[in-house]
Amino acid sequence: MYIPPLLFALATAPAIAAPTCPAPLHAGASDLGLASFREDDRVGGAAIDVLRELARRTNCPLDISWYPRARLWAEYAGGRINLTASSARSAERDRLGQFVPFVTTHFELVLSRRVTGSYKSLAEFVAHGSARLNLVRGILYTPEVEAEVARLRQQGRVEVVNDFDIAFRKMASKRAEATLAPMTIYSRYLQSAGLQEQVSVMPVTESAPVLAGAYLSRNGFTPAARKVFAESLLAMVTDGTVARIYGKYVGEANGRALVSDHARAIISAYQPLP
């Protein structure tokens, strides 16, 4: 894989001096399965480990707060946090910060086996199914998925919940029939809720792999600090650190599939702010 000279230099450079740090470096996290979770009052997960390694490389103290997904973006817009991780890109979020991709993601349909039917796309589920879909507030989907969700809403088959933990607990207690989730999310909850034998995971062809990553606040970072953080994070993609971190949670092969297989696209998608 080709590594741009600047990123190669950053990958081998010592930690950046503390004067580049925002004051404070305050990250927001929310329920995203193995990417970010809260356990015994500690926030963990692959995306959180990426942020902690980024803080170590930039020599900046890091504070992490936990929020419901929709509230996280309200806190970000209000300037109370200046860094997020494992976020999909949108025009609204771009107005608030700089997107730095470091991983890919896509959604699949998690369907209770109490519901009959097998589907090869979300469109088939909409046209031929009857189950209700639980969606998490504040999660972004591709336009193709949104179009099918709109059809489900017209049929009265959508329920909105605050986080994935609620969606999967509802499935475990037979109060929900289906949800959309990436592998990094459903793999955690199928195990913790004992759902492995009770659900089927089906493809959502409308959900092509998309980039996810960090958002660096426009107001919380100086342009120079944003540049240092962005280049340090991209260096973690090129030197294999992000893939290794994700591999600890989802297995080495899945870690490579989420990061290394798309590294060139991840790096090429980075757009420095003027």
Side-chain angles (χ1 to χ4, degrees):
M1 179 184 66
Y2 170 71
I3 301 177
L6 175 59
L7 294 182
F8 179 80
L10 283 167
T12 58
I16 306 299
T20 62
C21 299
L25 177 57
H26 190 182
S30 61
D31 170 35
L32 291 174
L34 293 173
S36 58
F37 56 82
R38 186 169 56 176
E39 195 168 77
D40 298 328
D41 294 325
R42 181 184 182 276
V43 179
I48 301 304
D49 286 357
V50 168
L51 290 190
R52 289 189 170 118
E53 174 62 14
L54 177 63
R56 187 193 70 79
R57 292 192 182 198
T58 54
N59 200 25
C60 292
L62 175 65
D63 178 42
I64 300 174
S65 295
W66 185 263
Y67 303 101
R69 192 65 179 172
R71 186 185 162 196
L72 182 149
W73 290 103
E75 296 290 310
Y76 187 86
R80 289 175 287 278
I81 58 177
N82 51 23
L83 176 65
T84 72
S86 201
S87 302
R89 189 173 191 179
S90 74
E92 179 180 358
R93 293 172 182 178
D94 281 353
R95 286 192 289 272
L96 300 172
Q98 180 178 12
F99 178 66
V100 185
F102 62 77
V103 71
T104 59
T105 187
H106 75 279
F107 287 84
E108 296 174 86
L109 175 66
V110 183
L111 183 66
S112 170
R113 290 182 178 170
R114 295 182 293 111
V115 178
T116 58
S118 179
Y119 309 103
K120 296 180 180 178
S121 69
L122 191 58
E124 282 193 7
F125 172 75
V126 174
H128 304 296
S130 60
R132 295 171 64 85
L133 189 65
N134 275 238
L135 297 179
V136 175
R137 187 176 285 107
I139 297 295
L140 298 181
Y141 305 99
T142 65
E144 293 79 7
V145 170
E146 291 285 6
E148 298 302 330
V149 168
R151 294 173 60 195
L152 284 172
R153 291 186 190 279
Q154 291 175 350
Q155 298 175 19
R157 293 170 57 194
V158 172
E159 298 179 10
V160 179
V161 296
N162 283 337
D163 55 42
F164 285 102
D165 180 55
I166 293 174
F168 282 98
R169 280 196 285 111
K170 287 180 66 179
M171 292 187 75
S173 62
K174 300 182 180 181
R175 294 181 294 115
E177 299 166 315
T179 191
L180 295 178
M183 177 270 293
T184 51
I185 291 176
Y186 69 68
S187 56
R188 170 175 168 80
Y189 286 110
L190 295 192
Q191 181 176 1
S192 65
L195 285 168
Q196 295 99 322
E197 304 302 321
Q198 299 179 38
V199 303
S200 298
V201 178
M202 301 178 187
V204 174
T205 56
E206 298 87 352
S207 180
V210 297
L211 298 178
Y215 263 100
L216 310 177
S217 170
R218 288 177 182 265
N219 296 328
F221 286 79
T222 65
R226 278 200 309 268
K227 183 174 186 293
V228 168
F229 274 75
E231 291 178 347
S232 297
L233 184 50
L234 291 172
M236 291 168 57
V237 174
T238 63
D239 68 15
T241 297
V242 176
R244 287 192 294 273
I245 288 173
Y246 270 77
K248 291 190 300 182
Y249 290 88
V250 300
E252 290 184 11
N254 285 328
R256 290 193 299 270
L258 291 172
V259 184
S260 299
D261 291 356
H262 302 274
R264 187 183 295 274
I266 291 171
I267 296 165
S268 298
Y270 169 61
Q271 297 176 348
L273 290 179

